[in-house]
Amino acid sequence: MTLVGIDWQELKDTPGTELLPRVFAIMRDAAVAVHAAEPDDPALLQVIPRLADLIPSRRELTPLREPFSALARAVGLWNYIDREAADDVDRLIAEAVTAPELGGITFHREQIVALNKLLSGENLILSAPTSFGKSLLIDALLATGKYGRVAIVLPTIALLDEFRRRLRRRFSSRFEILMHPTDVAAGRNVIFLGTQERLIGREDLGDLDLTVVDEFYKLDPRRRDERHVTLNAAVYRLLRRSRQFFFLGPNIDNVQMNVEGRWSFQFLKTRFSTVAVDTFDLRQAADKEARLLDELAEERNWPALVFVSSPDRANRLAESASEQMAVSENTTEFAEWLRENVGSRWPLAKAVEYGFGVHHARVPRAIASHMVRMFNRSELPVLFCTSTLIEGVNTAARSVLIFDKKISRQNYDFFTFANIRGRAGRLGQHHVGQVYLFNEPPTAEETEVSPTLFGDDESASDDYVVHLEDEDTTTAIDDRVTALRQLLDLTKAELRLASAVGLDTALALKQHVDASLRGRRALVWSGLPDFNTTLATLEVICKVKNAREFGAFSAKQLAFLIGSLRSHKSLKAFLIERDQNLTSDIATYDNVFKFLRACEYGLPQLFALVEIFVRKRFVIADYSYFVREMSRWFRNEALRNLDEEGVPIQVSERFVQPGDDRNSLARRLASVALSNDERLTPFEREWLLAALDIDRDGGVLAPNGIA
């Protein structure tokens, strides 16, 4: 018998009299393979989660509990050891690698290998499958007390919030955990959580004990991530002040360093996975969309992630699915809340009512967070998602249905495919995941990551080299930076700010600003501009950026949206009016959310850059107040901060008071959530309790001011 050729589904259906000897034979073959196979051989490793799924479900397999634990110990999956049935040796091994301070989590062998390297002081770059448990290693390091000041770089706000929640629950008494740009470090033990855009601008980092970079493959410009320059620059800045670093990512075969000496590291690559996956080939389905809906109707596939190529695609498929069937009876209140607080015409409301959610960059953060929460509780059985979910937030997905083969109109490569596939199954919930393929998978190939900051600086882009400190530059780089300063008429600090939008974009913007100033002075303003002044500034911006990038069809519509956002007393009122007055195709509904994201990041950077160029000639220009207000939607900063933590602004804006910061507003929301305040519906009360990490009995996890 070979471990690869086992039909596990057929085995599950085997009669009791035949099952015991067959499973024992599999365990015997696996025990033999332990001595002959590679220590991270997937064919061997997958036997353990499959047996963990099978043995408890069949009473006749009870005699195999003890030998199963011995096999789990031999393979290195010590977290699968059944302590109630294991012998003394296996039980002692499991107890030796269990961390009571992390809630009794048991590590597996490869996690211990990585931890030993890190605790010896080595810089480590770890490549491991999604189900490896990489994030747990961060928690284990923090629990040792060896690290006091830590920076963690994460790719998305959603992942920031996930980390924040987990770290607050475990370490709120030991660390300040800062996530928002307005948070200020007060003590020595601090965890700075941030995207690259947030961490590159922090002035309170000090000397760091540890820098962690999650999804580190995004440092490679060949990954076509438009934020890679800022990521490399931010990580460069962090590593210069950090005594140790730890990079994490999936499915990487090699890391290229072209310049020796600046940083050294150990690269650890492992295929060690804690779950098994069944793959089903549906490429030959005559009607793929019909077959997709057939699979989504099956409860055995829930919770199910459906990977699609774009937000528009996710929206359309969710709407189509909701027109044909319902897969949940637990989402009616959520759908009604969406209609009342976002808009009755939003197609997503109907999709949610019938059990279908979506997760992509346009969905408001608190709403997306609640969808993931309901998905993980099996209340929202299906999520249509893009790479925003696949590449970051952890879910309890049993099945992943890979419906498309593109991201942003380009075929994804094997690396991305393997990352998507790795989201099926979750340790402790779904030992065996399911993957459904609707297209030919990419050809398997090795993936090498070549971060810009590990390469030859002289061959790096202008946008990156302007961030290098003087001691790391060469004469050739200094000459390049000098030429850029002269061309753009910017200081080195201003060049760094301009690099956030791209120096080529900055040059084009400068030329249009200069041309505008020759004809009139509409760009010379301060405070809050009126409509015409806003429009004049946006007309310059939209000469270098398409208004559609910001959720509008033209500069004039963009100016109107900004004015409308400013004038409405609540975000809910702004959204409801837009819902009622929408005259374009309903497929463009998400543009309003795209606009709100652009107000947070994108438009503020461009307005600030226009101001820099205008001030070169007219020092009275001052856009700072407008830029700051726009970035928080012309509302109290606490509302947006809590929105990032899963509290919808439509709820929190009912309770905000002048002078509130994030902590005071959070305390007030906690109080009303635990009361019978009539301003909250029962659904909203439950949402608040979950977002604020408060249990239903009134017990409060008391991190960072919520008490």
Side-chain angles (χ1 to χ4, degrees), residues 504-547:
D504 289 342
T505 298
L507 178 59
L509 196 62
K510 177 183 184 302
Q511 292 167 345
H512 289 297
V513 168
D514 290 344
S516 177
L517 291 175
R518 284 194 294 270
R520 54 180 180 162
R521 295 180 58 177
L523 300 184
V524 185
W525 55 269
S526 61
L528 289 174
D530 60 22
F531 175 83
N532 290 329
T533 305
T534 303
L535 176 58
T537 312
L538 286 168
E539 285 175 339
V540 169
I541 290 172
C542 290
K543 283 182 168 65
V544 298
K545 291 285 187 178
N546 193 315

Side-chain angles (χ1 to χ4, degrees), residues 77-92:
L77 284 168
W78 300 331
N79 43 338
Y80 274 102
I81 292 175
D82 181 349
R83 299 190 199 186
E84 293 182 0
D87 66 18
D88 290 342
V89 173
D90 295 336
R91 189 181 305 112
L92 284 172

Side-chain angles (χ1 to χ4, degrees), residues 155 198 202 301 356 410 441 586 666:
R198 293 187 173 186
R202 291 203 74 105
N301 288 325
F356 301 95
Q410 293 185 344
I586 197 69

Side-chain angles (χ1 to χ4, degrees), residues 423-608:
R423 293 288 165 179
R426 185 168 184 176
L427 180 65
Q429 291 180 268
H430 311 298
H431 296 135
V432 181
Q434 299 163 160
V435 172
Y436 293 84
L437 301 180
F438 287 81
N439 298 280
E440 181 78 24
T443 303
E445 58 185 4
E446 290 195 348
T447 299
E448 180 179 80
V449 170
S450 184
T452 301
L453 77 159
F454 287 168
D456 180 4
D457 291 336
E458 292 192 4
S459 64
S461 68
D462 290 340
D463 291 313
Y464 175 74
V465 299
V466 299
H467 290 275
L468 295 176
E469 298 298 336
D470 291 342
E471 56 266 36
D472 291 328
T473 63
T474 64
T475 301
I477 290 174
D478 289 339
D479 290 343
R480 284 172 62 187
V481 174
T482 298
L484 288 168
R485 290 182 60 182
Q486 294 173 345
L487 178 66
L488 286 158
D489 189 22
L490 297 176
T491 66
K492 190 168 184 179
E494 290 169 341
L495 280 177
R496 291 175 176 177
L497 292 174
S499 72
V501 302
L503 295 179
D504 289 342
T505 298
L507 178 59
L509 196 62
K510 177 183 184 302
Q511 292 167 345
H512 289 297
V513 168
D514 290 344
S516 177
L517 291 175
R518 284 194 294 270
R520 54 180 180 162
R521 295 180 58 177
L523 300 184
V524 185
W525 55 269
S526 61
L528 289 174
D530 60 22
F531 175 83
N532 290 329
T533 305
T534 303
L535 176 58
T537 312
L538 286 168
E539 285 175 339
V540 169
I541 290 172
C542 290
K543 283 182 168 65
V544 298
K545 291 285 187 178
N546 193 315
R548 292 178 183 273
E549 293 183 36
F550 311 123
F553 297 114
S554 65
K556 187 172 184 179
Q557 187 190 29
L558 197 52
F560 172 80
L561 287 171
I562 290 173
S564 179
L565 184 62
R566 279 174 54 185
S567 64
H568 278 90
K569 292 183 178 181
S570 70
L571 184 67
K572 174 182 175 179
F574 168 75
L575 292 171
I576 294 298
E577 181 183 83
R578 196 268 180 183
D579 175 89
Q580 294 172 344
N581 295 333
L582 182 68
T583 57
S584 55
D585 188 332
I586 197 69
T588 67
Y589 198 102
D590 280 8
N591 278 349
V592 67
F593 309 125
K594 198 173 181 180
F595 161 72
L596 290 172
R597 289 288 176 94
C599 286
E600 291 182 279
Y601 191 85
L603 282 174
Q605 284 68 32
L606 290 163
F607 268 87

Side-chain angles (χ1 to χ4, degrees), residues 47-249:
V47 172
I48 301 302
R50 291 186 183 279
L51 290 175
D53 195 47
L54 177 62
I55 290 174
S57 68
R58 299 292 291 268
R59 184 165 34 176
E60 55 267 50
L61 297 180
T62 300
L64 298 182
R65 289 175 63 192
E66 181 178 337
F68 166 75
S69 291
L71 182 61
R73 184 257 305 157
V75 169
L77 284 168
W78 300 331
N79 43 338
Y80 274 102
I81 292 175
D82 181 349
R83 299 190 199 186
E84 293 182 0
D87 66 18
D88 290 342
V89 173
D90 295 336
R91 189 181 305 112
L92 284 172
I93 288 176
E95 290 174 355
V97 294
T98 296
E101 61 271 37
L102 298 181
I105 287 174
T106 301
F107 297 100
H108 57 67
R109 183 186 64 220
E110 296 300 293
Q111 286 173 324
I112 296 297
V113 169
L115 278 174
N116 285 339
K117 291 180 180 295
L118 288 162
L119 293 175
S120 70
E122 293 183 14
N123 297 321
L124 181 66
I125 298 182
L126 173 64
S127 170
T130 302
S131 63
F132 180 89
K134 296 184 288 294
S135 297
L136 180 59
L137 297 179
I138 302 171
D139 297 11
L141 293 175
L142 297 173
T144 65
K146 182 179 179 180
Y147 305 91
R149 211 165 180 90
V150 178
I152 303 177
V153 187
L154 300 163
T156 65
I157 300 296
L159 199 51
L160 283 185
D161 186 47
E162 180 179 293
F163 265 68
R164 177 193 63 84
R165 290 173 183 277
R166 191 183 75 248
L167 296 179
R168 284 200 327 176
R169 291 164 186 162
R170 288 177 172 162
F171 303 113
S172 61
S173 63
R174 187 180 302 181
F175 290 94
E176 293 177 77
I177 301 169
L178 308 184
M179 168 177 155
H180 306 294
T182 52
D183 295 338
V184 178
R188 171 68 185 91
N189 292 336
V190 184
I191 300 172
F192 298 96
L193 290 174
T195 59
Q196 53 263 42
E197 291 84 5
R198 293 187 173 186
L199 290 178
I200 198 172
R202 291 203 74 105
E203 299 296 334
D204 57 349
L205 292 168
D207 293 328
L208 297 169
D209 297 310
L210 178 68
T211 292
V212 178
V213 181
D214 196 20
E215 310 290 347
F216 76 91
Y217 59 87
K218 291 178 176 288
L219 288 162
D220 191 331
R222 294 173 299 182
R223 297 310 308 171
R224 300 192 299 270
D225 188 319
E226 63 183 14
R227 300 161 65 203
H228 73 87
V229 171
T230 305
L231 177 58
N232 275 277
V235 174
Y236 163 79
R237 180 171 183 254
L238 293 170
L239 295 195
R240 292 187 78 254
R241 60 179 68 233
S242 185
R243 64 181 176 86
Q244 188 178 6
F245 66 80
F246 178 28
F247 292 2
L248 309 86

Side-chain angles (χ1 to χ4, degrees), residues 230-501:
T230 305
L231 177 58
N232 275 277
V235 174
Y236 163 79
R237 180 171 183 254
L238 293 170
L239 295 195
R240 292 187 78 254
R241 60 179 68 233
S242 185
R243 64 181 176 86
Q244 188 178 6
F245 66 80
F246 178 28
F247 292 2
L248 309 86
N251 310 313
I252 306 298
D253 298 289
N254 188 38
V255 178
Q256 181 68 36
M257 175 179 276
N258 295 327
V259 178
E260 299 292 340
R262 186 179 296 170
W263 294 293
S264 61
F265 60 86
Q266 293 288 320
F267 176 59
L268 176 60
K269 175 183 179 296
T270 178
R271 298 173 294 174
F272 211 82
S273 178
T274 60
V275 299
V277 174
D278 288 328
T279 301
F280 302 94
D281 188 348
L282 303 182
R283 288 176 293 169
Q284 303 306 317
D287 185 334
K288 291 183 179 180
E289 186 168 329
R291 182 59 187 272
L292 171 67
L293 296 179
D294 287 344
E295 296 297 339
L296 295 180
E298 296 291 338
E299 189 173 352
R300 59 179 166 77
N301 288 325
W302 303 343
L305 291 178
V306 184
F307 174 79
V308 295
S309 58
S310 67
D312 290 339
R313 181 90 155 143
N315 294 343
R316 188 191 69 76
L317 285 171
E319 185 177 7
S320 177
S322 67
E323 290 172 350
Q324 299 190 43
M325 60 182 169
V327 293
S328 177
E329 299 177 351
N330 302 311
T331 52
T332 302
E333 289 181 311
F334 191 14
E336 190 57 34
W337 187 92
L338 295 175
R339 292 188 179 100
E340 291 181 1
N341 289 275
V342 179
S344 60
R345 299 173 63 189
W346 192 15
L348 181 58
K350 178 183 177 182
V352 166
E353 183 174 7
Y354 291 100
F356 301 95
V358 300
H359 195 289
H360 51 67
R362 298 179 197 164
V363 180
R365 291 191 186 99
I367 293 172
S369 175
H370 198 60
M371 283 191 186
V372 171
R373 186 180 299 117
M374 294 182 71
F375 179 81
N376 288 338
R377 296 193 304 223
S378 298
E379 296 170 357
L380 187 69
V382 179
L383 272 182
F384 292 88
C385 65
T386 62
S387 57
T388 57
L389 185 63
I390 290 296
E391 294 178 352
V393 178
N394 288 317
T395 65
R398 172 179 285 144
S399 304
V400 173
L401 299 95
I402 308 177
F403 192 64
D404 287 338
K405 60 179 180 180
K406 295 179 181 292
I407 296 177
S408 301
R409 300 180 181 178
Q410 293 185 344
N411 287 347
Y412 51 69
D413 57 11
F414 182 77
F415 165 79
T416 303
F417 167 76
N419 198 7
I420 297 169
R421 181 180 58 188
R423 293 288 165 179
R426 185 168 184 176
L427 180 65
Q429 291 180 268
H430 311 298
H431 296 135
V432 181
Q434 299 163 160
V435 172
Y436 293 84
L437 301 180
F438 287 81
N439 298 280
E440 181 78 24
T443 303
E445 58 185 4
E446 290 195 348
T447 299
E448 180 179 80
V449 170
S450 184
T452 301
L453 77 159
F454 287 168
D456 180 4
D457 291 336
E458 292 192 4
S459 64
S461 68
D462 290 340
D463 291 313
Y464 175 74
V465 299
V466 299
H467 290 275
L468 295 176
E469 298 298 336
D470 291 342
E471 56 266 36
D472 291 328
T473 63
T474 64
T475 301
I477 290 174
D478 289 339
D479 290 343
R480 284 172 62 187
V481 174
T482 298
L484 288 168
R485 290 182 60 182
Q486 294 173 345
L487 178 66
L488 286 158
D489 189 22
L490 297 176
T491 66
K492 190 168 184 179
E494 290 169 341
L495 280 177
R496 291 175 176 177
L497 292 174
S499 72
V501 302

